[in-house]
Amino acid sequence: MRYHNITKDDMLNGDGLRVVLWVAGCSHCCRECHNPVTWDVNGGLPFTVEEKQEIFRELNKDYISGITFSGGDPLHSANIMDVTELAKEIREKYPKKTIWLYTGALWEEVCKEEIVRYLDVLVDGEFEADKKDVTLHWKGSSNQRVIDVPATLKAGDVVLYAE
């Protein structure tokens, strides 16, 4: 897996103060994407043990609510295996921290993936420029959904995250 950035004390990509891992690789290539530099799977830098330790140092801080996986697309074929393993490790090591993930894929396309078992919130759907709305919380366009993953798995139908 490759990544572009690790953001610390982020307040825009999920509830509370978060660490955000921006992965490289996205096949959605949404028009007017706010982060097109992350589309190239060969872009950025290799994600190594040092970066993982950096994330863990952030998650060790009491005031950090959790981690958000973004990009790029964490569920891109070049990322999903490594992101799943990292999410699993974070869930085991930091059970009280929340895990958010942004993907251009729809819940219905990814709901059977192993990674969803480790997620608290999944923001799904491609960014659609004609549905852009800067007043929306945690998403860029009105077609996207902020999904409460544990509640959705329990209900068997999409449950939106209560802000």
Side-chain angles (χ1 to χ4, degrees):
M1 175 173 69
R2 297 180 69 80
Y3 80 105
H4 280 272
N5 195 18
I6 297 171
T7 306
K8 299 171 180 114
D9 299 338
D10 182 280
M11 297 185 305
L12 301 175
N13 295 283
D15 201 10
L17 282 175
R18 315 190 63 74
V19 57
V20 182
L21 175 62
W22 302 88
V23 299
C26 186
S27 58
H28 299 285
C29 304
C30 302
R31 184 171 59 86
E32 295 184 34
C33 170
H34 77 281
N35 216 359
V37 69
T38 64
W39 293 355
D40 182 1
V41 296
N42 298 310
L45 304 164
F47 186 82
T48 69
V49 171
E50 286 79 22
E51 285 77 25
K52 184 193 287 192
Q53 293 308 317
E54 181 180 346
I55 288 170
F56 290 168
R57 280 192 301 276
E58 291 303 305
L59 291 171
N60 281 332
K61 298 174 181 175
D62 290 341
Y63 66 87
I64 295 297
S65 300
I67 187 167
T68 299
F69 294 102
S70 193
D73 191 338
L75 302 185
H76 184 280
S77 60
N79 299 321
I80 189 167
M81 188 172 70
D82 292 326
V83 172
T84 298
E85 286 306 309
L86 182 55
K88 181 180 180 181
E89 188 173 352
I90 290 168
R91 175 60 66 219
E92 291 168 357
K93 196 170 177 130
Y94 304 96
K96 294 186 175 167
K97 303 286 183 173
T98 59
I99 302 175
W100 285 51
L101 187 142
Y102 283 78
T103 181
L106 295 175
W107 168 258
E108 292 77 9
E109 298 168 329
V110 301
C111 63
K112 302 287 189 216
E113 297 290 346
E114 177 187 356
I115 193 167
V116 301
R117 294 186 287 177
Y118 313 120
L119 301 179
D120 295 288
V121 176
L122 180 123
V123 182
D124 81 338
E126 294 183 356
F127 171 75
E128 294 182 15
D130 61 328
K131 294 178 181 170
K132 179 179 179 178
D133 183 345
V134 296
T135 67
L136 297 172
H137 212 165
W138 298 314
K139 59 184 184 175
S141 57
S142 61
N143 62 295
Q144 295 172 308
R145 298 175 292 182
V146 181
I147 299 170
D148 181 325
V149 175
T152 296
L153 291 173
K154 186 175 180 183
D157 199 15
V158 172
V159 176
L160 298 180
Y161 181 76
E163 297 181 17

